[in-house]
Amino acid sequence: MAQQPIAFIDLKAQQRRLGDRIPRAIQRVLDHGQFIMGPEVRELEEKLSEFSGAGHVITCASGTDALLMALMAHGTGPGDAVFVPSFTFVATAEAVALLGATPVFVDVEADSFLLDVTRLDAALATATRSGLNPRGIIPVDLFGQPADYMEINRFAGQHGLFVIGDGAQSFGAELDGNRVGALTQVTATSFFPAKPLGCYGDGGALFTDDDELAGKLRSLRVHGKGTDKYDNVNIGINGRLDTIQAAILLEKLSIFEKEIALRDQVAKRYATLLENLVDVPVIRQGRTSVWAQYTITTDHRDTVVQELKRQGIPSAVYYPAPLHRQTAYEGYPRAPDLTISECLPARVLSLPMHPYLEEEAQSRICDIIRQAL
Ligand SMILES: *Cc1c(COP(=O)(O)O)cnc(C)c1O
């Protein structure tokens, strides 16, 4: 008998679980016709605020726009240095570069994949030596685990830097009992379909407790509006979340808590099955992950990929190159040592991960990995 195909991320299983709730939510938007900033947008912002513990939530058109708007709100521009990990998705550095500011690449930790806080001093010196004005840090909660915000917030405070958390992969995760969105001055997240909480298109949000920053972000989202849309007090963007996407997210948010628990179960099973075979991801004390990716590391990565592929199991390499090696970014300054970011691309492998991944499928995946090794 042919085996069931295994999905990398199974959005169909989630659809089945939600039944007709999403089509009905979409139909409600079609009926009221407020496609831009309709009532679902406001409702979603309230629910996200409740969920995260952040005082203000500003939804927007994508995770990239969220980062961009946060940088704009801080007035980031030419001559400014913003510290970003080199091992991340390109959007983290792209938003900085788009504003004419300079991303300064910093190394990550080998086992958690998170920004290595001990490297920030050297990065700061590099920026200053390059004649730049150090302005901020964008830590990335890579693969779903919050960065070390305690230390990063402290470092930023000491040096007068802003912090923008890139929580595109971590919405729903916790650090010391507080959720992403409430861990630093301002946090950006993404609702791209493959993220832990995803819509059916592009979407994102910003989280902050700072009233003034929130006001600025709301203005930037709609062309820098003042009291109304034709009173322009800032140079902004068209960065709104579609009402239809908000309606979809409201339905998905209602099962998100359960899905986070399921994701964690899947991760725990992987950790047991893969123990002593490969290096499994490390979650730091006091933190949880929402497992945007389940990323293992092994010296025999390519052998494992080939065998999984031969047996019809999807896997992915996040990320195949550090940003400081990418054509568009190789000219930017870097902290002195980026060894880990350089080594990881050859060793990482992300395995199928979603809340509905069954034990049997996981056993099959891990058996193949064992065979390959
Ligand atoms: C997905 C992602 C983004 C960008 O989000 P979009 O919604 O796709 O624009 C930014 N940073 C990280 C780390 C991401 O994974």
Side-chain angles (χ1 to χ4, degrees):
M1 204 182 81
Q3 281 173 312
Q4 287 287 315
I6 295 174
F8 190 67
I9 294 174
D10 195 347
L11 293 176
K12 281 270 158 46
Q14 187 190 48
Q15 270 174 28
R16 282 194 296 274
R17 172 165 185 164
L18 285 165
D20 64 353
R21 288 175 54 187
I22 287 184
R24 279 169 50 195
I26 293 173
Q27 187 60 49
R28 283 195 296 274
V29 179
L30 297 182
D31 291 342
H32 68 56
Q34 297 175 60
F35 301 116
I36 301 294
M37 299 302 277
E40 285 85 354
V41 174
R42 169 62 51 87
E43 192 187 335
L44 177 66
E45 289 179 346
E46 279 165 12
K47 293 247 162 81
L48 289 172
S49 165
E50 231 169 82
F51 188 94
S52 64
H56 300 278
V57 177
I58 300 96
T59 55
C60 60
S62 70
T64 306
D65 274 359
L67 290 167
L68 188 67
M69 285 160 58
L71 287 163
M72 289 168 82
H74 282 296
T76 318
D80 292 344
V82 179
F83 304 102
V84 300
S86 185
F87 189 70
T88 177
F89 181 60
V90 66
T92 316
E94 182 183 43
V96 176
L98 264 176
L99 292 171
T102 304
V104 176
F105 295 111
V106 184
D107 213 1
V108 296
E109 298 172 341
D111 57 351
S112 71
F113 313 112
L114 300 170
L115 184 82
D116 186 343
V117 182
T118 65
R119 305 302 180 94
L120 283 171
D121 269 316
L124 197 68
T126 302
T128 312
R129 222 179 309 114
S130 311
L132 298 163
N133 178 24
R135 286 295 312 284
I137 312 172
I138 310 184
V140 179
D141 305 343
L142 205 70
F143 304 144
Q145 169 178 209
D148 188 358
Y149 286 103
M150 290 298 193
E151 285 304 315
I152 291 166
N153 291 340
R154 197 198 324 264
F155 184 91
Q158 272 166 8
H159 298 278
L161 305 172
F162 62 71
V163 180
I164 300 170
D166 183 342
Q169 302 186 4
S170 65
F171 186 66
E174 294 178 13
L175 188 160
D176 294 335
N178 295 310
R179 278 196 167 140
V180 165
L183 303 180
T184 196
Q185 298 158 10
V186 58
T187 305
T189 198
S190 164
F191 302 126
F192 181 81
K195 309 284 180 181
L197 178 63
C199 55
Y200 290 149
D202 281 304
L206 284 148
F207 303 79
T208 186
D209 275 338
D210 183 327
D211 299 344
E212 200 183 318
L213 196 62
K216 190 92 190 266
L217 291 168
R218 285 186 209 286
S219 163
L220 292 171
R221 170 170 68 178
V222 188
H223 305 289
K225 76 180 168 87
T227 46
D228 72 65
K229 153 163 124 168
Y230 301 105
D231 167 34
N232 308 107
V233 297
N234 294 297
I235 294 177
I237 60 172
N238 172 359
R240 297 169 296 230
L241 178 73
D242 293 341
T243 309
I244 284 186
Q245 300 302 345
I248 291 163
L249 283 164
L250 279 167
E251 299 305 325
K252 291 203 186 194
L253 184 61
S254 71
I255 59 164
F256 189 46
E257 199 110 40
K258 289 190 194 97
E259 288 192 337
I260 292 173
L262 290 171
R263 284 174 174 279
D264 210 45
Q265 264 179 32
V266 171
K268 291 210 166 84
R269 287 202 298 255
Y270 267 139
T272 308
L273 290 164
L274 294 170
E275 209 185 356
N276 304 323
L277 272 182
V278 296
D279 290 330
V280 297
V282 168
I283 301 302
R284 295 263 184 260
Q285 180 103 42
R287 295 184 229 181
T288 65
S289 177
V290 287
W291 304 105
Q293 301 297 339
Y294 191 86
T295 304
I296 58 169
T297 47
T298 165
D299 290 333
H300 309 284
R301 198 269 314 280
D302 291 343
T303 316
V304 173
V305 170
Q306 272 166 25
E307 193 53 28
L308 286 170
K309 194 170 174 196
R310 206 178 61 81
Q311 306 216 30
I313 310 285
S315 66
V317 173
Y318 298 123
Y319 293 92
L323 293 185
H324 68 277
R325 294 279 177 213
Q326 302 273 351
T327 310
Y329 294 89
E330 58 193 3
Y332 286 113
R334 8 176 135 158
D337 184 3
L338 290 165
T339 312
I340 309 294
S341 300
E342 303 229 319
C343 292
L344 284 174
R347 303 189 72 235
V348 286
L349 186 65
S350 301
L351 301 177
M353 167 49 84
H354 58 82
Y356 310 102
L357 189 61
E358 284 170 2
E359 207 166 337
E360 204 185 308
Q362 283 190 277
S363 299
R364 215 173 107 208
I365 295 164
C366 296
D367 282 344
I368 297 169
I369 295 172
R370 188 173 303 111
Q371 284 163 30
L373 293 165

